[in-house]
Amino acid sequence: MSTLARNISSWLVVVVVVAASGTVGTTVAFQDSAQDIQTKNDALRAENEELREQLNESRENRRAAQNRNEELEKQLETRNEDVDALVSELEKKEQLLNASRTRLAESQESQAGMSRSEMEKRLDYLCAQRENRDRFGCRQFGPDE
């Protein structure tokens, strides 16, 4: 082989070695980069899983809140029905009370009227007796005597 061929061969060996070392370096760099990407990907997967768990927990909390809200709405409806029933009952009792007051007033007026009538009869009787005394000379007693 000639010197030229040796020089070319040497250069080819150097180029192959440089290329191989560059490829090895690039391969190592790619492996490091791939490892970094894999680590980041694993971290993102873990974060994604945690976010899914949080989402599921939030959905469960929302369902529980909706159920509680429905329960409270039913209780409120029941309470409103109870209040309506009590108001109706109270109105009936007020009507009965007013009717009783009216009957009582009428009764008191009737009794007052009877008492007045009785008092008028009693006065007429007493006046008649007084007239009889005066006629027969009976002594009259006044309020001061």
Coordinates of all heavy atoms in Angstrom, one line a residue, residues 29-100:
A29 N -26.4 10.6 24.9 CA -27.2 11.8 25.1 C -28.7 11.5 24.9 O -29.6 11.9 25.6 CB -26.8 12.9 24.1
F30 N -29.0 10.7 23.8 CA -30.4 10.3 23.6 C -30.9 9.4 24.7 O -32.1 9.6 25.1 CB -30.5 9.6 22.2 CG -30.5 10.5 21.1 CD1 -29.8 10.2 19.9 CD2 -31.3 11.7 21.0 CE1 -29.8 11.1 18.8 CE2 -31.3 12.5 20.0 CZ -30.6 12.2 18.8
Q31 N -30.1 8.6 25.2 CA -30.5 7.7 26.4 C -30.8 8.6 27.6 O -31.8 8.3 28.3 CB -29.4 6.7 26.7 CG -29.4 5.5 25.7 CD -28.2 4.6 26.0 OE1 -27.4 4.8 26.8 NE2 -28.3 3.4 25.3
D32 N -29.9 9.6 27.9 CA -30.2 10.5 29.0 C -31.4 11.2 28.7 O -32.3 11.4 29.6 CB -29.0 11.4 29.2 CG -27.8 10.7 29.8 OD1 -27.9 9.6 30.3 OD2 -26.7 11.3 29.7
S33 N -31.6 11.7 27.5 CA -32.8 12.5 27.2 C -34.0 11.6 27.3 O -35.1 12.0 27.8 CB -32.6 13.1 25.8 OG -33.8 13.8 25.4
A34 N -33.9 10.4 26.8 CA -35.0 9.4 26.9 C -35.4 9.1 28.3 O -36.5 9.0 28.7 CB -34.7 8.2 26.1
Q35 N -34.3 9.0 29.1 CA -34.5 8.7 30.6 C -35.2 9.9 31.2 O -36.2 9.7 32.0 CB -33.2 8.4 31.3 CG -33.3 8.1 32.7 CD -34.1 6.7 32.9 OE1 -34.0 5.8 32.1 NE2 -34.9 6.7 34.0
D36 N -34.8 11.1 30.9 CA -35.4 12.3 31.4 C -36.9 12.4 31.0 O -37.8 12.7 31.8 CB -34.7 13.6 30.9 CG -33.4 13.8 31.6 OD1 -33.1 13.2 32.6 OD2 -32.6 14.6 31.1
I37 N -37.1 12.1 29.7 CA -38.5 12.1 29.2 C -39.3 11.0 29.9 O -40.5 11.3 30.3 CB -38.5 11.9 27.7 CG1 -37.9 13.2 27.0 CG2 -39.9 11.6 27.2 CD1 -37.7 13.0 25.5
Q38 N -38.8 9.9 30.1 CA -39.5 8.8 30.8 C -39.8 9.2 32.2 O -40.9 8.9 32.7 CB -38.6 7.5 30.8 CG -39.3 6.3 31.4 CD -40.6 5.9 30.6 OE1 -40.6 6.0 29.3 NE2 -41.6 5.5 31.3
T39 N -38.8 9.8 32.9 CA -39.0 10.3 34.3 C -40.2 11.3 34.3 O -41.1 11.2 35.2 CB -37.7 10.9 34.9 OG1 -36.7 9.9 34.8 CG2 -37.9 11.3 36.3
K40 N -40.1 12.3 33.4 CA -41.1 13.3 33.3 C -42.5 12.7 33.0 O -43.5 13.0 33.6 CB -40.8 14.4 32.3 CG -39.7 15.3 32.8 CD -39.3 16.3 31.7 CE -38.1 17.1 32.1 NZ -37.7 18.1 31.1
N41 N -42.5 11.7 32.1 CA -43.7 11.0 31.7 C -44.3 10.3 32.9 O -45.5 10.3 33.1 CB -43.4 10.1 30.5 CG -44.7 9.6 29.8 OD1 -45.7 10.2 30.0 ND2 -44.6 8.6 29.0
D42 N -43.4 9.6 33.6 CA -43.9 8.9 34.8 C -44.5 9.9 35.8 O -45.5 9.6 36.4 CB -42.8 8.1 35.5 CG -42.3 6.9 34.6 OD1 -43.1 6.5 33.7 OD2 -41.2 6.4 34.8
A43 N -43.8 11.0 36.0 CA -44.3 12.0 37.0 C -45.7 12.6 36.5 O -46.6 12.7 37.3 CB -43.3 13.2 37.1
L44 N -45.8 12.8 35.2 CA -47.1 13.3 34.6 C -48.2 12.2 34.8 O -49.3 12.6 35.1 CB -46.9 13.7 33.2 CG -46.1 15.0 32.9 CD1 -45.8 15.2 31.4 CD2 -46.8 16.2 33.5
R45 N -47.8 11.0 34.6 CA -48.8 9.9 34.7 C -49.3 9.8 36.2 O -50.5 9.7 36.5 CB -48.2 8.5 34.3 CG -48.2 8.4 32.8 CD -47.8 7.0 32.4 NE -47.9 6.8 31.0 CZ -46.9 6.3 30.3 NH1 -45.9 5.7 30.8 NH2 -47.0 6.2 29.0
A46 N -48.3 10.0 37.1 CA -48.7 9.9 38.5 C -49.6 11.1 38.9 O -50.6 11.0 39.6 CB -47.4 9.9 39.4
E47 N -49.2 12.3 38.4 CA -50.0 13.5 38.6 C -51.4 13.4 38.0 O -52.4 13.7 38.6 CB -49.3 14.7 38.0 CG -50.0 16.0 38.3 CD -49.3 17.3 37.7 OE1 -48.1 17.1 37.2 OE2 -49.9 18.3 37.7
N48 N -51.4 12.8 36.8 CA -52.7 12.5 36.1 C -53.6 11.6 36.9 O -54.8 11.8 37.1 CB -52.4 12.0 34.7 CG -53.7 12.0 33.8 OD1 -54.6 12.7 34.1 ND2 -53.6 11.2 32.8
E49 N -53.0 10.6 37.5 CA -53.7 9.6 38.3 C -54.3 10.3 39.5 O -55.4 10.1 40.0 CB -52.8 8.4 38.7 CG -53.6 7.3 39.4 CD -54.7 6.7 38.7 OE1 -54.7 6.7 37.4 OE2 -55.7 6.3 39.3
E50 N -53.4 11.1 40.1 CA -53.8 11.9 41.3 C -55.0 12.8 41.0 O -56.0 12.9 41.7 CB -52.6 12.7 41.9 CG -53.0 13.4 43.2 CD -51.7 14.2 43.7 OE1 -50.6 13.7 43.5 OE2 -51.9 15.2 44.3
L51 N -54.9 13.5 39.9 CA -56.0 14.4 39.4 C -57.2 13.6 39.1 O -58.3 14.1 39.5 CB -55.5 15.2 38.2 CG -54.5 16.2 38.4 CD1 -54.0 16.8 37.1 CD2 -55.0 17.3 39.3
R52 N -57.1 12.4 38.6 CA -58.3 11.6 38.4 C -59.0 11.2 39.7 O -60.2 11.2 39.8 CB -57.9 10.3 37.6 CG -57.8 10.5 36.1 CD -57.7 9.2 35.4 NE -57.6 9.5 33.9 CZ -56.7 9.0 33.1 NH1 -55.8 8.2 33.6 NH2 -56.7 9.3 31.9
E53 N -58.1 10.9 40.7 CA -58.7 10.5 42.0 C -59.4 11.7 42.6 O -60.4 11.6 43.2 CB -57.5 10.0 42.9 CG -57.0 8.6 42.5 CD -55.8 8.2 43.4 OE1 -55.4 8.9 44.3 OE2 -55.2 7.2 43.0
Q54 N -58.7 12.9 42.4 CA -59.4 14.1 43.0 C -60.7 14.4 42.2 O -61.7 14.8 42.9 CB -58.4 15.3 42.8 CG -57.3 15.3 43.8 CD -56.3 16.5 43.5 OE1 -56.5 17.3 42.6 NE2 -55.2 16.5 44.3
L55 N -60.7 14.2 40.9 CA -61.9 14.4 40.2 C -63.0 13.4 40.6 O -64.2 13.8 40.8 CB -61.6 14.2 38.7 CG -62.8 14.3 37.7 CD1 -63.5 15.7 37.8 CD2 -62.4 13.9 36.3
N56 N -62.7 12.1 40.8 CA -63.6 11.2 41.3 C -64.1 11.5 42.7 O -65.3 11.4 43.0 CB -63.0 9.8 41.3 CG -62.9 9.2 39.9 OD1 -63.6 9.6 39.0 ND2 -61.9 8.3 39.8
E57 N -63.2 12.0 43.5 CA -63.6 12.4 44.9 C -64.5 13.6 44.8 O -65.5 13.7 45.5 CB -62.4 12.7 45.7 CG -62.6 13.1 47.2 CD -61.4 13.3 47.9 OE1 -60.3 12.8 47.6 OE2 -61.4 14.1 48.9
S58 N -64.2 14.6 43.9 CA -65.1 15.7 43.8 C -66.5 15.3 43.3 O -67.5 15.9 43.7 CB -64.4 16.7 42.8 OG -63.3 17.3 43.3
R59 N -66.5 14.4 42.3 CA -67.8 13.9 41.8 C -68.6 13.2 42.9 O -69.8 13.4 43.0 CB -67.6 12.9 40.7 CG -67.1 13.6 39.4 CD -66.9 12.6 38.3 NE -66.5 13.3 37.1 CZ -65.9 12.7 36.0 NH1 -65.6 11.4 36.1 NH2 -65.7 13.4 35.0
E60 N -67.9 12.4 43.8 CA -68.6 11.8 44.9 C -69.1 12.8 45.9 O -70.2 12.7 46.4 CB -67.7 10.8 45.6 CG -67.4 9.6 44.8 CD -66.3 8.7 45.4 OE1 -66.1 8.8 46.7 OE2 -65.8 7.8 44.8
N61 N -68.3 13.9 46.2 CA -68.7 14.9 47.1 C -69.9 15.7 46.5 O -70.9 16.0 47.2 CB -67.6 15.9 47.3 CG -66.5 15.3 48.2 OD1 -66.7 14.3 48.9 ND2 -65.3 15.9 48.1
R62 N -69.9 15.9 45.1 CA -71.0 16.6 44.5 C -72.3 15.8 44.6 O -73.3 16.3 44.9 CB -70.7 16.9 43.0 CG -71.7 17.7 42.3 CD -71.3 18.0 40.9 NE -71.0 16.7 40.1 CZ -71.9 16.1 39.3 NH1 -73.1 16.6 39.1 NH2 -71.5 15.0 38.7
R63 N -72.1 14.4 44.3 CA -73.3 13.6 44.5 C -73.9 13.6 45.9 O -75.1 13.6 46.1 CB -72.9 12.1 44.0 CG -73.1 11.9 42.5 CD -72.9 10.4 42.2 NE -72.0 10.4 41.1 CZ -70.7 9.9 41.1 NH1 -70.3 9.4 42.2 NH2 -70.0 9.9 40.0
A64 N -72.9 13.5 46.8 CA -73.4 13.5 48.2 C -74.1 14.8 48.6 O -75.1 14.9 49.3 CB -72.2 13.3 49.2
A65 N -73.5 16.0 48.1 CA -74.1 17.3 48.3 C -75.5 17.3 47.6 O -76.5 17.9 48.2 CB -73.2 18.4 47.8
Q66 N -75.6 16.8 46.4 CA -76.9 16.7 45.7 C -77.9 15.9 46.5 O -79.1 16.3 46.7 CB -76.8 16.2 44.3 CG -76.2 17.2 43.3 CD -75.9 16.5 42.0 OE1 -75.8 15.3 41.8 NE2 -75.9 17.3 40.9
N67 N -77.5 14.8 47.0 CA -78.4 13.9 47.8 C -78.8 14.7 49.1 O -80.0 14.6 49.5 CB -77.7 12.6 48.2 CG -77.5 11.7 47.0 OD1 -78.2 11.8 46.0 ND2 -76.6 10.8 47.1
R68 N -77.9 15.3 49.7 CA -78.2 16.1 51.0 C -79.2 17.2 50.6 O -80.1 17.5 51.4 CB -76.9 16.6 51.6 CG -77.1 17.4 52.8 CD -77.6 16.6 54.0 NE -77.7 17.4 55.2 CZ -78.6 17.3 56.0 NH1 -79.5 16.4 55.9 NH2 -78.7 18.1 57.1
N69 N -78.9 17.9 49.5 CA -79.8 18.9 49.1 C -81.2 18.4 48.8 O -82.2 19.0 49.2 CB -79.2 19.6 47.8 CG -80.0 20.8 47.4 OD1 -80.4 21.6 48.2 ND2 -80.2 21.0 46.1
E70 N -81.3 17.3 48.1 CA -82.6 16.7 47.9 C -83.3 16.3 49.2 O -84.5 16.5 49.3 CB -82.5 15.4 47.0 CG -82.1 15.7 45.6 CD -81.8 14.5 44.7 OE1 -81.9 13.4 45.3 OE2 -81.4 14.7 43.6
E71 N -82.6 15.8 50.1 CA -83.1 15.4 51.4 C -83.6 16.7 52.2 O -84.7 16.7 52.7 CB -82.0 14.7 52.3 CG -82.5 14.3 53.6 CD -81.3 13.7 54.4 OE1 -80.5 13.0 53.9 OE2 -81.3 13.9 55.7
L72 N -82.8 17.7 52.1 CA -83.2 19.0 52.8 C -84.5 19.6 52.1 O -85.3 20.1 52.8 CB -82.1 20.0 52.8 CG -80.9 19.6 53.7 CD1 -79.7 20.6 53.5 CD2 -81.3 19.6 55.2
E73 N -84.5 19.5 50.8 CA -85.7 20.0 50.1 C -87.0 19.2 50.5 O -88.0 19.8 50.6 CB -85.5 19.9 48.5 CG -84.5 21.0 48.0 CD -84.3 20.9 46.5 OE1 -84.8 20.0 45.9 OE2 -83.6 21.8 46.0
K74 N -86.8 17.9 50.6 CA -88.0 17.1 51.1 C -88.4 17.5 52.5 O -89.6 17.6 52.8 CB -87.6 15.6 51.0 CG -87.5 15.0 49.6 CD -87.1 13.6 49.6 CE -86.9 13.0 48.2 NZ -86.5 11.6 48.2
Q75 N -87.4 17.7 53.3 CA -87.7 18.1 54.7 C -88.4 19.4 54.7 O -89.3 19.7 55.4 CB -86.4 18.2 55.6 CG -85.9 16.8 55.9 CD -84.6 16.9 56.7 OE1 -84.1 18.0 57.0 NE2 -84.0 15.8 57.1
L76 N -87.9 20.4 53.9 CA -88.5 21.7 53.8 C -89.9 21.6 53.3 O -90.8 22.2 53.8 CB -87.7 22.6 52.8 CG -88.2 24.0 52.6 CD1 -88.3 24.8 53.9 CD2 -87.4 24.7 51.6
E77 N -90.2 20.7 52.3 CA -91.5 20.5 51.7 C -92.4 20.0 52.8 O -93.6 20.4 53.0 CB -91.5 19.6 50.6 CG -92.8 19.4 49.9 CD -92.7 18.5 48.7 OE1 -91.6 18.4 48.1 OE2 -93.7 17.9 48.3
T78 N -91.9 19.0 53.6 CA -92.7 18.5 54.7 C -93.0 19.5 55.7 O -94.1 19.6 56.2 CB -91.9 17.3 55.4 OG1 -91.7 16.3 54.4 CG2 -92.7 16.7 56.5
R79 N -92.0 20.3 56.1 CA -92.2 21.4 57.0 C -93.2 22.4 56.5 O -94.1 22.9 57.3 CB -90.9 22.1 57.4 CG -89.8 21.3 58.0 CD -90.3 20.8 59.4 NE -89.2 20.0 60.0 CZ -89.1 18.7 59.9 NH1 -90.0 18.0 59.2 NH2 -88.2 18.0 60.6
N80 N -93.1 22.7 55.2 CA -94.1 23.7 54.7 C -95.5 23.1 54.7 O -96.5 23.8 55.0 CB -93.7 24.0 53.2 CG -92.6 25.0 53.2 OD1 -92.3 25.7 54.1 ND2 -91.9 25.0 52.0
E81 N -95.6 21.8 54.5 CA -97.0 21.2 54.6 C -97.5 21.2 56.0 O -98.6 21.4 56.3 CB -96.9 19.7 54.1 CG -96.7 19.6 52.6 CD -96.4 18.2 52.1 OE1 -96.3 17.3 52.9 OE2 -96.2 18.0 50.9
D82 N -96.5 20.9 57.0 CA -96.9 21.0 58.4 C -97.4 22.4 58.8 O -98.4 22.6 59.5 CB -95.7 20.6 59.3 CG -95.4 19.1 59.2 OD1 -96.2 18.4 58.6 OD2 -94.3 18.7 59.6
V83 N -96.6 23.4 58.3 CA -97.0 24.8 58.6 C -98.4 25.1 58.0 O -99.2 25.7 58.6 CB -95.9 25.8 58.1 CG1 -96.4 27.2 58.1 CG2 -94.7 25.6 58.9
D84 N -98.6 24.7 56.7 CA -99.9 24.9 56.1 C -101.0 24.3 56.9 O -102.1 24.9 57.1 CB -99.9 24.4 54.6 CG -99.0 25.2 53.7 OD1 -98.6 26.4 54.1 OD2 -98.6 24.7 52.6
A85 N -100.8 23.0 57.3 CA -101.8 22.3 58.1 C -102.0 23.1 59.4 O -103.2 23.2 59.9 CB -101.3 20.9 58.4
L86 N -101.0 23.5 60.1 CA -101.1 24.3 61.3 C -101.9 25.6 61.1 O -102.7 26.0 61.9 CB -99.8 24.5 62.0 CG -99.1 23.3 62.6 CD1 -97.7 23.6 63.0 CD2 -99.9 22.8 63.8
V87 N -101.5 26.3 60.0 CA -102.2 27.6 59.7 C -103.7 27.3 59.5 O -104.6 28.0 60.0 CB -101.6 28.2 58.5 CG1 -102.4 29.3 57.9 CG2 -100.2 28.8 58.9
S88 N -104.0 26.2 58.7 CA -105.4 25.9 58.5 C -106.1 25.6 59.8 O -107.2 26.0 60.0 CB -105.5 24.7 57.5 OG -106.8 24.3 57.3
E89 N -105.5 24.8 60.6 CA -106.1 24.4 61.9 C -106.2 25.7 62.8 O -107.3 25.8 63.4 CB -105.1 23.4 62.6 CG -105.7 22.9 63.9 CD -104.9 21.8 64.6 OE1 -104.1 21.1 63.9 OE2 -104.9 21.7 65.8
L90 N -105.3 26.6 62.8 CA -105.3 27.8 63.5 C -106.5 28.7 63.0 O -107.3 29.2 63.8 CB -104.0 28.6 63.4 CG -104.0 29.9 64.2 CD1 -104.2 29.7 65.7 CD2 -102.7 30.6 63.9
E91 N -106.7 28.7 61.7 CA -107.8 29.5 61.2 C -109.1 28.9 61.6 O -110.0 29.7 61.9 CB -107.7 29.5 59.6 CG -106.6 30.4 59.1 CD -106.4 30.3 57.6 OE1 -107.0 29.4 57.0 OE2 -105.6 31.2 57.1
K92 N -109.2 27.6 61.6 CA -110.5 27.0 62.1 C -110.7 27.3 63.5 O -111.9 27.6 63.9 CB -110.4 25.4 61.9 CG -110.5 25.0 60.4 CD -110.4 23.5 60.3 CE -110.4 23.1 58.8 NZ -110.1 21.6 58.7
K93 N -109.7 27.2 64.3 CA -109.8 27.5 65.8 C -110.2 29.0 66.0 O -111.0 29.3 66.9 CB -108.6 27.1 66.5 CG -108.3 25.6 66.5 CD -107.4 25.2 67.6 CE -107.2 23.7 67.4 NZ -107.7 22.9 68.4
E94 N -109.6 29.9 65.2 CA -110.0 31.3 65.3 C -111.4 31.5 64.9 O -112.1 32.3 65.6 CB -109.1 32.1 64.3 CG -107.7 32.4 64.9 CD -106.8 33.2 63.9 OE1 -107.2 33.4 62.8 OE2 -105.7 33.6 64.4
Q95 N -111.9 30.7 63.9 CA -113.3 30.8 63.5 C -114.2 30.3 64.7 O -115.2 30.9 65.0 CB -113.6 30.0 62.3 CG -113.0 30.7 61.0 CD -113.2 29.8 59.8 OE1 -113.6 28.6 59.9 NE2 -112.8 30.3 58.6
L96 N -113.8 29.2 65.3 CA -114.6 28.7 66.4 C -114.5 29.7 67.6 O -115.6 29.9 68.3 CB -114.0 27.4 66.9 CG -114.2 26.2 66.0 CD1 -113.4 24.9 66.5 CD2 -115.7 25.8 65.9
L97 N -113.4 30.3 67.8 CA -113.2 31.3 68.9 C -114.1 32.5 68.6 O -114.8 32.9 69.5 CB -111.8 31.7 69.1 CG -111.5 32.7 70.1 CD1 -111.9 32.2 71.5 CD2 -110.0 33.2 70.1
N98 N -114.1 33.0 67.4 CA -115.0 34.1 67.1 C -116.5 33.7 67.2 O -117.2 34.6 67.7 CB -114.7 34.6 65.7 CG -113.3 35.3 65.6 OD1 -112.8 35.8 66.5 ND2 -112.8 35.3 64.4
A99 N -116.8 32.5 66.8 CA -118.2 32.1 67.0 C -118.6 32.0 68.4 O -119.6 32.4 68.9 CB -118.4 30.8 66.3
S100 N -117.6 31.5 69.3 CA -117.9 31.4 70.7 C -118.0 32.8 71.3 O -118.8 33.0 72.2 CB -116.7 30.6 71.4 OG -116.7 29.3 71.0

